[in-house]
Amino acid sequence: MNAHSFWFHRGRVWALNTSLAGKIATSAKLRLRRKKFYEYKALYWMMLPGILYFIVFHYIPMYGVVLAFKNFFILKGIMASPWVGLDHFRKAFADPYFFNVLKNTLVISFYKLLFGFPIPIVFALLLSEVTHMRFKKLVQTVSYLPHFISWVVLSGIFISLFSMEGPVNLLMNLFGMEPTVYMADRRYFRIILIVTDIFQSFGWGSIIYFAAIAGIDPQLYEAAIIDGAGRFKRILHITIPMLVPVISILLILKMAHILDAGFDQVFNMYNPMVYEVSDIIDTYVYRKGLVEANYSYSTAVGLFKSVIALILIVVVNKAVKTMGGKEHTLW
């Protein structure tokens, strides 16, 4: 056997061995995955309803996004309706009222984030220091209840509270103040929206922080107590730093909904008197799409909102990663 034949034969043997080793490794990986699947099959079955929900109600409806680029006629259907490209987006950007709606959405959402995001954290921190378990459970239960009440019911309660004959005006009369229709006053309506949203959501929003606090190693607190740290210092130097990853993730997810100013709340509480300061993108889309039957235009506005939300979540995630919090980001 000459040298050329030797090296050729050796190369073929090496290639066959490598291919065989690769097949064995692949087969081993498949067996391992199959084993893990059967080991955790109960969890996969539990995931199935959630996956089906997102497929049916989130992914399949994405087909309707093409309406934003068409002049939709019900009798022709989606595919047979003529294409108009970006005409509906140009129409929206040329409408001064659209920018007023966008401003209202951003202002209301920003104030809800500014005042509403820290309150569940503070509530969880304060309540976690309470040692009386019955009182602690009672406060937690009471704080969760508003989350399970529909905005239709809550709005009726708040409209009654702030009406001319409501308790708020009766209290103001005791201090010699003139009665005010707060729900129809532009000066107060946004404040009412923000306060009532915090009332409805802060208890439910604190659950994840209670869970994160419960997962902190008690030995850290014991060591701090031995070193003479009081309650405030333990919160400042142990609890809050341990909550930073959870806070970062929730803040990033919150930014994705910065243009969701709360359709249920605003729709049930606002009125034409306060449209100028309370009309948001969701209520604007509702009127244009369902009331005026302008489906293509409303779809274009809704798509614009979704694109902005996507950009915001990517930017915030990148900003957190840049500031050194790679383990606190979504990806």
Side-chain angles (χ1 to χ4, degrees), residues 18-33:
T18 304
S19 176
L20 183 61
K23 289 180 179 179
I24 293 172
T26 303
S27 178
K29 286 181 180 178
L30 289 174
R31 284 198 302 271
L32 182 61
R33 288 178 182 175

Side-chain angles (χ1 to χ4, degrees), residues 167-183:
V168 175
N169 272 314
L170 292 176
L171 184 63
M172 294 297 104
N173 285 337
L174 295 177
F175 294 96
M177 298 176 65
E178 291 294 326
T180 304
V181 185
Y182 291 98
M183 301 301 292

Side-chain angles (χ1 to χ4, degrees), residues 279-298:
D279 200 11
I280 59 175
I281 290 177
D282 290 335
T283 53
Y284 181 67
V285 167
Y286 165 78
R287 288 201 311 278
K288 288 292 182 181
L290 296 181
V291 178
E292 300 178 16
N294 195 346
Y295 302 111
S296 296
Y297 180 78
S298 60

Side-chain angles (χ1 to χ4, degrees), residues 251-252 255-256 307-323 329-331:
L251 179 61
I252 293 170
M255 288 303 297
V307 170
I308 296 300
L310 176 63
I311 293 171
L312 284 172
I313 193 171
V314 171
V315 169
V316 174
N317 189 75
K318 182 68 175 177
V320 172
K321 188 178 290 186
T322 303
M323 290 186 292
T329 55
L330 294 176
W331 61 83

Side-chain angles (χ1 to χ4, degrees), residues 5-26:
S5 299
F6 171 77
W7 287 111
F8 177 76
H9 178 70
R10 186 171 180 179
R12 287 189 63 187
V13 171
W14 178 83
L16 288 171
N17 289 338
T18 304
S19 176
L20 183 61
K23 289 180 179 179
I24 293 172
T26 303

Side-chain angles (χ1 to χ4, degrees), residues 136-162:
K136 185 176 181 178
K137 289 181 179 179
L138 176 64
V139 173
Q140 281 183 286
T141 303
V142 171
S143 68
Y144 299 160
L145 284 178
H147 174 79
F148 298 99
I149 303 175
S150 167
W151 269 115
V152 176
V153 178
L154 283 177
S155 298
I157 294 171
F158 292 129
I159 289 170
S160 299
L161 285 174
F162 291 102

Side-chain angles (χ1 to χ4, degrees), residues 14-311:
W14 178 83
L16 288 171
N17 289 338
T18 304
S19 176
L20 183 61
K23 289 180 179 179
I24 293 172
T26 303
S27 178
K29 286 181 180 178
L30 289 174
R31 284 198 302 271
L32 182 61
R33 288 178 182 175
R34 195 178 296 114
K35 181 181 177 182
K36 284 191 174 182
F37 175 79
Y38 284 112
E39 185 178 351
Y40 299 109
K41 63 180 180 181
L43 297 179
Y44 288 116
W45 281 112
M46 291 171 66
M47 287 171 55
L48 186 60
I51 294 171
L52 290 175
Y53 165 79
F54 279 100
I55 291 174
V56 173
F57 295 104
H58 289 268
Y59 285 96
I60 293 177
M62 285 184 184
Y63 165 72
V65 168
V66 297
L67 286 176
F69 308 97
K70 290 192 166 208
N71 194 12
F72 178 63
F73 294 97
I74 294 178
L75 296 179
K76 291 184 178 180
I78 295 177
M79 298 309 296
S81 297
W83 286 92
V84 293
L86 300 176
D87 284 0
H88 296 299
F89 294 94
R90 296 190 189 100
K91 182 181 176 182
F93 297 146
D95 184 3
Y97 188 73
F98 170 75
F99 288 99
N100 183 61
V101 168
L102 180 60
K103 184 190 78 172
N104 290 338
T105 305
L106 290 172
V107 169
I108 293 172
S109 296
F110 175 75
Y111 282 133
K112 284 184 177 181
L113 181 66
L114 180 65
F115 297 106
F117 187 75
I119 287 180
I121 303 172
V122 175
F123 177 69
L125 290 172
L126 293 176
L127 201 58
S128 65
E129 295 297 319
V130 175
T131 55
H132 194 290
M133 293 306 297
R134 284 191 177 180
F135 176 76
K136 185 176 181 178
K137 289 181 179 179
L138 176 64
V139 173
Q140 281 183 286
T141 303
V142 171
S143 68
Y144 299 160
L145 284 178
H147 174 79
F148 298 99
I149 303 175
S150 167
W151 269 115
V152 176
V153 178
L154 283 177
S155 298
I157 294 171
F158 292 129
I159 289 170
S160 299
L161 285 174
F162 291 102
S163 66
M164 288 290 289
E165 296 81 18
V168 175
N169 272 314
L170 292 176
L171 184 63
M172 294 297 104
N173 285 337
L174 295 177
F175 294 96
M177 298 176 65
E178 291 294 326
T180 304
V181 185
Y182 291 98
M183 301 301 292
D185 195 320
R186 298 174 186 174
R187 296 172 298 172
Y188 302 110
F189 190 77
R190 282 180 180 169
I191 299 172
I192 293 172
L193 282 180
I194 294 159
V195 172
T196 54
D197 179 75
I198 292 172
F199 167 78
Q200 191 260 356
S201 61
F202 84 95
W204 185 257
S206 66
I207 291 177
I208 193 166
Y209 298 111
F210 281 122
I213 291 171
I216 299 175
D217 190 351
Q219 294 181 359
L220 295 173
Y221 293 109
E222 293 169 3
I225 292 171
I226 292 171
D227 290 338
R231 286 181 180 270
F232 180 75
K233 285 190 175 181
R234 293 200 298 271
I235 292 173
L236 190 62
H237 297 289
I238 297 176
T239 310
I240 293 178
M242 296 297 287
L243 288 179
V244 167
V246 177
I247 294 171
S248 300
I249 295 295
L250 291 180
L251 179 61
I252 293 170
L253 294 174
K254 199 79 172 177
M255 288 303 297
H257 298 279
I258 194 69
L259 294 182
D260 293 331
F263 172 79
D264 291 342
Q265 180 193 20
V266 176
F267 180 75
N268 285 288
M269 294 181 70
Y270 80 157
N271 57 77
M273 296 292 292
V274 292
Y275 271 3
E276 188 177 341
V277 297
S278 64
D279 200 11
I280 59 175
I281 290 177
D282 290 335
T283 53
Y284 181 67
V285 167
Y286 165 78
R287 288 201 311 278
K288 288 292 182 181
L290 296 181
V291 178
E292 300 178 16
N294 195 346
Y295 302 111
S296 296
Y297 180 78
S298 60
T299 304
V301 175
L303 181 59
F304 166 78
K305 170 189 163 183
S306 300
V307 170
I308 296 300
L310 176 63
I311 293 171

